[in-house]
Amino acid sequence: MFEFRIDGTDGVARAGTLTLPHGEVRTPAFMPVGTHAVVRGLSANDVRRTGAQIILGNAYHLHLRPGEAVIQEMGGLHRFTTWDRPMLTDSGGFQVFSLQGLRSIAEHGVEFQSHIDGTSRTLTPERAMEIQWALGADVAMAFDHVVPGQSSPAAACEGMERTLRWLDRCKRTHSDLLGRGSGAAGRQEHTGGIPGTRTAPLPPCPAAPQTLWPIVQGGIHDELRLRSLEGTLERGPWTGIAIGGLSVGEPKPVMHRILEQLEPRLPREIPRYLMGVGFPADLLEGIARGVDLFDCVAATRNGRHGTAWLPTGRVNVRGASLKGSTEPLDPSCDCETCTTYPRGYLRHLFVVEDMLGLRLISIHNIRFLVRLGEQARIHILNGTFDGWSREWLGRHYAREIEAP
Amino acid sequence: MFEFRIDGTDGVARAGTLTLPHGEVRTPAFMPVGTHAVVRGLSANDVRRTGAQIILGNAYHLHLRPGEAVIQEMGGLHRFTTWDRPMLTDSGGFQVFSLQGLRSIAEHGVEFQSHIDGTSRTLTPERAMEIQWALGADVAMAFDHVVPGQSSPAAACEGMERTLRWLDRCKRTHSDLLGRGSGAAGRQEHTGGIPGTRTAPLPPCPAAPQTLWPIVQGGIHDELRLRSLEGTLERGPWTGIAIGGLSVGEPKPVMHRILEQLEPRLPREIPRYLMGVGFPADLLEGIARGVDLFDCVAATRNGRHGTAWLPTGRVNVRGASLKGSTEPLDPSCDCETCTTYPRGYLRHLFVVEDMLGLRLISIHNIRFLVRLGEQARIHILNGTFDGWSREWLGRHYAREIEAP
């Protein structure tokens, strides 16, 4: 049910097939982000048409609205969203640690104020597991202590070590849920875990099994990263492993160095997920360093702001140069937007502020990243990844420098 | 090319088939409004899936942005929007007369300030024809002088008589364009019309022929309405006729009375279009009084505000009663929204303010009106329209009164 097969490699770049309860994911693959159980502005069909194989939800946001109990009652995140393919939920760790000034961290967990209504809430490793269990995605992520990109060794070490201790608690709770879920008919009262942190009865098992993936932390410090990886693997075996706390403010070369340090020590036989990354170039840089899965809001966020990614560079869709153009946005793209609408119409939609424009550019940007994964996969299987990606990146960086 | 066939009648209610250059329209039919060359928030495919057969554009809005020359250069409104079925454009008359304080009316035409950038513009019958010709919809509407719903007989008479005089100018210009268009290869300089009111060269003909429909005015005064109709018919023949200046503030029974006054005097053999109407009940009330075509922004405007039309009454999709519901929004509806998403998910989309929610409810509301037209057609052909619509309206009005 949770299998990963390597279909081919080129250097450390890998092409694989990840089997999850709701289907297969051919890697390398970009996962669109559906924070609120919706990829911003897009229907499940829109996302399907981009070729996306797996999407993300977020435990923090869905705990606040509509609440995991509501989604569970409705049959889980798949039925709630009508997305019937693989899904992964993040634990909310990254989100609560981003609530600067609105949260306090202790060994027990994180107390925070809802960014919606200011109510006081507690997220613990146990609660993060229970929430994700109730949501019912194929993959749940461990509850981790994320530190800012430029954190001192001491701060990064504290976060890293806490993440490992919390991983023990996540694993215990998840195993517990798995054991109860498979045996339980309906709901049971929860008796384990930290008292006072649960408000709902113990969830029954999701419609399909769920697996738990750990997250490697350690900031920008190689030694901490390696200790984190070592500690994580000791607590295994795992069906997948994530690298968190990158792309949070550190320079790109630092991220690349850390990926290079980790790569030879990562198990070959499970998928590697680089969290919160990336932009187009980040995908190829990550794949070249052995990463299989990516997620990032940049595709949809840029799309909503009218910035489209093209092989020839970024373009602001509001730009006067698009006025009256009957050309596709990206003539080499096979997405719904590029195969249907003229550029001049897309520009018009942004000028008159119609939300269709936001959607059409989001669709294109997602397809751009999904397709980059597909292209990388073909080049890996053909043994031409290295040359292709160097050339692609060379053109890309040259344009980024040229760009005004 | 511009034919209308009566397929059946029930009392004065008619079921017909309107043939236009871009396809057939089975009537009675609701036309979704695409003011800015987009049905707010919806793709052409979204609109196609509602079963809509014809949509509206607006000469005023498209003249301002992106400008009719841009659309013409791109191959016309059909290619601009990728909507390949019948289209109608309103002349902009209603819009410029709505610019209270920003426009001055003279026999020549209307001077107004753009609501976008404040620039001074002039719209005349000739310009309205040229703009619509450049847009290239199947049907262009005459440039009319619209008066508020409660206007005095004197004001309504002035608007009505001016509309007739302007109709002469519209007809002359449209004939001129048709004659030049069919003979002209490419562009010619325009020499007729009012000097100083054109800035672009004479448009070549649209990709397909275009017809012109007149608009009956006369406010809420029966005698003026009948004079308007008489004067309009004298200037014919026409391939269709519109009733304008209703649903602009007058009580519903007044609108019904005017429709009843006009109906026996309207030519049977051409379609009758009641402009800017309506809400669900207005459709059935209009059909019962011999109307064939309708348009209104209420479906999409209500949709964006989260108000969905149901056979059991209106519902605010944000309402707490929808939370957690796995039921379709309207179990009797065959639209994309109702056949795909649970109510609880639709509510969630409004709660988290994702624009997908606005789109899904707009789709449902449009389908609701399109389907009401389809149902009315079936009942007219079966000779059961009267009983069915009375029953439908009885339930509807009872609920409207009950509603909090």
Side-chain angles (χ1 to χ4, degrees):
Chain A
M1 193 62 87
F2 299 101
E3 286 171 4
F4 186 66
R5 181 184 75 225
I6 301 276
D7 300 317
T9 57
D10 188 3
V12 298
R14 306 132 51 92
T17 302
L18 170 64
T19 304
L20 294 171
H22 287 85
E24 290 188 343
V25 181
R26 309 271 163 188
T27 64
F30 169 72
M31 302 188 270
V33 179
T35 306
H36 292 103
V38 53
V39 178
R40 286 282 288 264
L42 305 191
S43 70
N45 276 332
D46 289 336
V47 181
R48 263 187 280 272
R49 281 192 290 265
T50 67
Q53 307 171 80
I54 175 169
I55 62 172
L56 242 75
N58 192 289
Y60 167 78
H61 292 92
L62 296 174
H63 167 66
L64 294 181
R65 297 184 302 187
E68 65 278 10
V70 172
I71 292 177
Q72 184 186 25
E73 196 68 49
M74 291 179 66
L77 207 42
H78 284 93
R79 290 186 58 186
F80 185 58
T81 59
T82 76
W83 175 262
D84 53 3
R85 299 185 188 179
M87 257 186 172
L88 179 150
T89 43
D90 195 3
S91 60
F94 180 78
Q95 281 66 36
V96 293
F97 289 102
S98 304
L99 295 170
Q100 292 289 350
L102 294 173
R103 48 106 178 120
S104 66
I105 307 165
E107 188 59 23
H108 167 56
V110 183
E111 301 215 17
F112 64 97
Q113 282 183 277
S114 157
H115 76 283
I116 305 300
D117 59 9
T119 53
S120 191
R121 312 258 180 157
T122 304
L123 211 49
T124 63
E126 291 77 15
R127 282 296 290 129
M129 290 301 100
E130 290 164 348
I131 291 168
Q132 291 182 83
W133 181 262
L135 296 174
D138 302 67
V139 180
M141 298 304 300
F143 188 64
D144 54 342
H145 182 162
V146 185
V147 297
Q150 307 280 20
S151 293
S152 68
C157 184
E158 187 197 354
M160 181 275 282
E161 291 186 338
R162 178 163 291 132
T163 298
L164 284 177
R165 291 192 300 273
W166 283 358
L167 181 57
D168 287 329
R169 289 163 58 186
C170 285
K171 191 179 177 186
R172 199 177 313 126
T173 305
H174 199 260
S175 299
D176 186 38
L177 289 166
L178 269 173
R180 287 162 182 264
S182 60
R187 291 163 166 252
Q188 299 180 354
E189 277 307 312
H190 181 57
T191 50
I194 310 281
T197 57
R198 300 197 68 257
T199 53
L202 180 75
C205 61
Q210 181 181 73
T211 194
L212 170 66
W213 288 1
I215 304 174
V216 173
Q217 289 292 350
I220 55 171
H221 310 286
D222 293 0
E223 189 249 334
L224 296 178
R225 284 282 173 180
L226 295 180
R227 276 176 52 201
S228 176
L229 174 58
E230 200 179 325
T232 301
L233 295 179
E234 279 168 9
R235 287 161 172 84
W238 306 105
T239 60
I241 189 166
I243 302 161
L246 289 178
S247 205
V248 289
E250 81 287 356
K252 296 272 183 197
V254 171
M255 175 167 89
H256 299 162
R257 192 196 71 225
I258 288 167
L259 291 176
E260 287 159 18
Q261 290 290 316
L262 290 173
E263 196 285 326
R265 295 162 179 92
L266 285 164
R268 264 183 55 82
E269 66 279 8
I270 59 173
R272 302 138 173 197
Y273 162 31
L274 179 55
M275 302 183 81
V277 176
F279 283 77
D282 296 331
L283 246 69
L284 295 193
E285 297 281 14
I287 293 166
R289 290 166 179 85
V291 174
D292 306 298
L293 291 166
F294 302 84
D295 81 278
C296 189
V297 296
T300 39
R301 184 169 291 163
N302 275 268
R304 291 198 305 281
H305 294 164
T307 300
W309 292 330
L310 307 181
T312 52
R314 288 168 303 182
V315 65
N316 183 326
V317 179
R318 287 182 192 80
S321 66
L322 276 68
K323 188 168 182 173
S325 169
T326 55
E327 291 295 302
L329 180 61
D330 173 358
S332 70
C333 180
D334 59 1
C335 83
E336 191 184 350
T337 304
C338 293
T339 56
T340 311
Y341 297 97
R343 283 182 160 212
Y345 185 63
L346 299 173
R347 175 183 191 268
H348 173 69
L349 293 175
F350 273 86
V351 169
V352 301
E353 295 177 354
D354 192 282
M355 61 184 177
L356 176 61
L358 287 51
R359 165 179 159 206
L360 293 177
I361 307 303
S362 295
I363 286 173
H364 168 74
N365 283 350
I366 290 177
R367 177 65 192 145
F368 192 84
L369 290 186
V370 166
R371 203 156 140 259
L372 209 53
E374 292 171 0
Q375 291 168 328
R377 180 178 165 89
I378 291 167
H379 283 288
I380 292 167
L381 294 175
N382 290 342
T384 54
F385 175 78
D386 193 50
W388 171 77
S389 76
R390 272 174 203 274
E391 198 189 342
W392 197 100
L393 289 169
R395 280 200 312 271
H396 177 81
Y397 289 130
R399 283 191 309 265
E400 292 289 304
I401 291 160
E402 282 166 19
Chain B
M1 193 62 87
F2 299 101
E3 286 171 5
F4 186 64
R5 183 185 73 226
I6 301 275
D7 300 318
T9 56
D10 188 4
V12 298
R14 305 131 51 91
T17 301
L18 171 64
T19 304
L20 294 171
H22 287 86
E24 289 188 343
V25 180
R26 309 271 163 189
T27 64
F30 169 72
M31 303 188 268
V33 180
T35 306
H36 292 103
V38 54
V39 177
R40 286 282 288 262
L42 305 192
S43 70
N45 277 331
D46 289 336
V47 181
R48 264 186 280 270
R49 282 192 290 264
T50 67
Q53 308 170 80
I54 175 169
I55 62 172
L56 243 75
N58 192 288
Y60 167 78
H61 292 93
L62 296 173
H63 167 66
L64 295 181
R65 297 184 302 187
E68 65 277 9
V70 172
I71 292 178
Q72 183 185 27
E73 195 68 50
M74 290 177 68
L77 207 42
H78 284 92
R79 290 185 59 185
F80 185 59
T81 59
T82 78
W83 176 263
D84 53 3
R85 299 186 188 178
M87 256 185 171
L88 178 151
T89 44
D90 196 3
S91 61
F94 180 78
Q95 281 66 35
V96 293
F97 289 102
S98 304
L99 296 169
Q100 293 288 352
L102 295 172
R103 46 109 178 117
S104 66
I105 307 165
E107 188 60 22
H108 166 56
V110 183
E111 300 216 19
F112 64 97
Q113 281 183 278
S114 157
H115 75 283
I116 305 300
D117 59 9
T119 53
S120 190
R121 312 258 180 158
T122 304
L123 210 48
T124 63
E126 290 78 14
R127 282 296 289 129
M129 289 301 100
E130 290 164 350
I131 291 168
Q132 292 182 81
W133 181 263
L135 295 174
D138 302 65
V139 179
M141 298 305 300
F143 189 64
D144 55 342
H145 182 164
V146 185
V147 297
Q150 307 281 21
S151 293
S152 67
C157 184
E158 189 198 354
M160 181 276 281
E161 291 186 339
R162 179 166 288 131
T163 298
L164 285 177
R165 290 191 300 273
W166 283 358
L167 181 58
D168 287 328
R169 289 164 58 187
C170 286
K171 190 178 178 189
R172 200 178 312 126
T173 306
H174 200 260
S175 298
D176 187 38
L177 289 165
L178 270 173
R180 286 162 183 265
S182 59
R187 291 162 167 254
Q188 299 179 353
E189 276 308 312
H190 181 57
T191 51
I194 309 281
T197 56
R198 300 195 70 257
T199 53
L202 179 75
C205 61
Q210 182 181 73
T211 193
L212 169 65
W213 287 1
I215 305 174
V216 172
Q217 290 291 350
I220 53 171
H221 310 287
D222 293 0
E223 190 249 335
L224 295 178
R225 284 282 172 181
L226 296 179
R227 276 177 53 202
S228 176
L229 174 58
E230 197 178 328
T232 301
L233 295 179
E234 279 167 10
R235 287 160 173 84
W238 307 106
T239 60
I241 189 165
I243 302 161
L246 289 179
S247 205
V248 289
E250 81 286 356
K252 296 272 184 199
V254 171
M255 175 168 88
H256 299 161
R257 191 196 71 224
I258 288 168
L259 292 177
E260 287 159 16
Q261 290 291 315
L262 290 174
E263 197 285 325
R265 295 163 179 92
L266 284 164
R268 266 183 54 82
E269 67 278 9
I270 60 172
R272 302 139 172 197
Y273 162 30
L274 180 54
M275 303 183 80
V277 176
F279 283 78
D282 296 331
L283 246 69
L284 296 193
E285 298 280 14
I287 294 167
R289 290 165 179 86
V291 174
D292 306 298
L293 291 167
F294 302 84
D295 81 279
C296 189
V297 296
T300 40
R301 183 170 291 163
N302 275 268
R304 291 198 307 279
H305 295 164
T307 299
W309 292 331
L310 307 181
T312 53
R314 287 168 303 180
V315 65
N316 184 325
V317 179
R318 287 182 192 80
S321 65
L322 275 70
K323 189 167 183 173
S325 169
T326 56
E327 290 295 303
L329 180 61
D330 174 358
S332 71
C333 180
D334 58 2
C335 84
E336 191 183 349
T337 304
C338 293
T339 56
T340 311
Y341 297 97
R343 281 180 162 215
Y345 185 63
L346 299 173
R347 175 183 192 266
H348 172 70
L349 293 175
F350 273 86
V351 169
V352 300
E353 296 177 353
D354 192 282
M355 60 183 176
L356 176 60
L358 286 52
R359 166 179 158 204
L360 294 177
I361 307 303
S362 294
I363 286 173
H364 167 74
N365 283 350
I366 290 177
R367 177 65 192 143
F368 191 84
L369 290 187
V370 166
R371 204 155 139 260
L372 209 52
E374 292 171 2
Q375 291 168 329
R377 180 179 165 87
I378 292 167
H379 283 288
I380 292 167
L381 294 175
N382 290 342
T384 54
F385 175 77
D386 194 51
W388 170 77
S389 77
R390 272 173 203 275
E391 198 188 341
W392 197 101
L393 288 169
R395 280 199 312 271
H396 177 80
Y397 289 130
R399 283 192 307 266
E400 292 289 305
I401 291 159
E402 281 165 21

